[in-house]
Amino acid sequence: MYSLARSLLFRLDAEKAHGLALSALDLADRLGLARALGSRVEDPVELMGLRFPNRVGLAAGLDKNADHLDALGALGFGFVEVGTVTPRPQDGNPRPRLFRLPEAGAIINRMGFNNAGVDHLVANVRASRYDGVIGINIGKNLTTPVERAVDDYLLCLRKVHAHAHYVTVNISSPNTPGLRNLQFGEHLDQLLGALREQADRLDRDAGRRVPLAVKIAPDMKADEVALVARSLEATGIDAVIATNTTVSREAVEGLPHADEQGGLSGRPVFEASNAVIRELRRRLPDLPIIGVGGIDSGEAAVVKREAGADLVQLYSGFIYRGPGLVGECARALKAHGH
């Protein structure tokens, strides 16, 4: 059924098709049909002090404003991450800004953190009926200078803390100028140190712990991953999400849209993401790792797990394969054992 829907959707502009598919999913949820698209595989795991019903999550970026949380949550995910959200609403980059590369099972996006602002997202999460684990991914506004980025992250953290099971700090989108500079050295230590301090205070006041995760890029050499690992350890970060999209075009050279600016996701980022995961696991044997990048089958989810990921997230594979991929990955990981 999904392949038929996909063939129709793929005739439309990618961003239009994305909006239409999510609206159709919302309708299915209101009619009580969304659960029929994917029942949740029970394979519970405890990480970061949280209980995940299974190891398969939805990556940030698909539902930036938590507008579709109930419908997506009905598809069998063990957790759903919404955002990236910024303090103030912003339009993002001019359209077109989302491109499919079907031959490579890939997507290029240069959305630019388009979202309705943190207050809108929080209102949606509060109104949601979804009872699973919710991650909220936070970023900085385009107009905020990089040297003041910490203010945006702290503001978002304060606003989402009461409504998230965990919070992800996105410092790795290639579509906000200068953002990736925050991934290294002193910049990273200062940002994560300030966030850790704020999170600890909020945790104490709320009487509950909300873990902090950091999402990093795949375009790093082993020595750069080592630097990031050192910062994560030094600042007491609870988990790392590896990885975001890549700026490399090596795997898609010559394909239509391959020269578009933005981050490339999907199958071409699979190996780069796994290499970062392996290096992180070697450096940080006990840190929870959420593996994302190029998972388009149950087998790929198992490979990601073998690279060192404790949990996995879907994005491009979900667009190409549809809701059936969620259960396929969850069953494969359950069968693979712990």
Side-chain angles (χ1 to χ4, degrees):
M1 192 173 82
Y2 182 74
S3 57
L4 173 65
R6 193 188 86 172
S7 66
L8 297 172
L9 287 168
F10 274 34
R11 289 176 192 172
L12 302 173
D13 162 78
E15 194 167 344
K16 237 180 226 152
H18 182 83
L20 194 61
L22 288 170
S23 298
L25 195 56
D26 286 340
L27 178 61
D29 184 52
R30 285 197 295 276
L31 296 172
L33 304 172
R35 286 194 187 279
L37 297 172
S39 58
R40 193 160 74 190
V41 173
E42 290 302 320
D43 180 27
V45 56
E46 297 230 357
L47 278 170
M48 305 185 272
L50 299 170
R51 185 184 183 276
F52 294 84
N54 64 50
R55 293 178 187 267
V56 182
L58 179 69
L62 199 110
D63 187 8
K64 291 175 184 293
N65 298 307
D67 287 327
H68 313 282
L69 187 51
D70 289 336
L72 289 163
L75 299 179
F77 287 107
F79 60 111
V80 172
E81 189 170 319
V82 294
T84 298
V85 71
T86 56
R88 299 178 305 285
Q90 59 182 29
D91 293 333
N93 291 320
R95 297 185 190 212
R97 55 195 179 177
L98 187 63
F99 307 90
R100 303 184 203 95
L101 291 75
E103 303 93 329
I107 291 170
I108 290 174
N109 94 79
R110 52 168 178 266
M111 306 299 282
F113 288 173
N114 58 308
N115 73 103
V118 69
D119 293 331
H120 175 92
L121 178 139
V122 164
N124 280 343
V125 172
R126 288 182 66 174
S128 163
R129 301 183 312 277
Y130 176 59
D131 62 355
V133 174
I134 298 171
I136 300 181
N137 185 303
I138 59 174
K140 79 165 197 72
N141 278 113
L142 176 68
T143 52
T144 303
V146 171
E147 54 275 15
R148 295 258 315 281
V150 66
D151 299 342
D152 279 14
Y153 286 102
L154 288 170
L155 187 148
C156 282
L157 177 61
R158 285 194 295 272
K159 293 206 170 196
V160 305
H161 183 274
H163 312 285
H165 292 98
Y166 71 90
V167 175
T168 300
V169 182
N170 187 348
I171 49 171
S172 51
S173 166
N175 300 319
T176 297
L179 191 75
R180 286 190 170 193
N181 298 344
L182 296 172
Q183 286 186 121
F184 302 109
E186 208 180 311
H187 286 308
L188 186 59
D189 287 345
Q190 284 174 353
L191 175 66
L192 298 186
L195 284 163
R196 176 77 278 161
E197 202 178 304
Q198 175 82 82
D200 288 346
R201 259 202 311 274
L202 291 164
D203 288 348
R204 276 196 303 274
D205 293 347
R208 67 187 270 268
R209 185 165 167 75
V210 178
L212 274 184
V214 174
K215 189 164 187 175
I216 63 171
D219 310 307
M220 286 192 211
K221 300 180 186 73
D223 58 335
E224 292 173 322
V225 177
L227 285 174
V228 170
R230 203 176 307 152
S231 291
L232 295 173
E233 199 167 28
T235 50
I237 294 301
D238 300 288
V240 59
I241 301 182
T243 61
N244 212 316
T245 56
T246 180
V247 293
S248 167
R249 293 293 184 269
E250 217 175 299
V252 294
E253 263 176 44
L255 291 181
H257 301 307
D259 294 334
E260 293 288 352
Q261 290 290 305
L264 175 72
S265 62
R267 207 180 304 136
V269 83
F270 186 65
E271 286 306 335
S273 143
N274 292 351
V276 170
I277 291 167
R278 282 188 203 100
E279 190 60 28
L280 281 169
R281 181 50 75 221
R282 196 169 74 78
R283 303 260 172 196
L284 302 166
D286 302 319
L287 187 75
I289 297 174
I290 301 174
V292 55
I295 300 171
D296 56 6
S297 66
E299 189 185 353
V302 169
V303 172
K304 196 74 78 183
R305 178 98 175 88
E306 287 171 341
D310 299 288
L311 305 171
V312 300
Q313 286 181 326
L314 309 178
Y315 185 95
S316 300
F318 180 69
I319 304 290
Y320 280 101
R321 292 280 320 279
L325 181 62
V326 183
E328 182 185 320
C329 290
R331 284 189 295 275
L333 289 170
K334 186 175 184 175
H336 176 258
H338 302 162

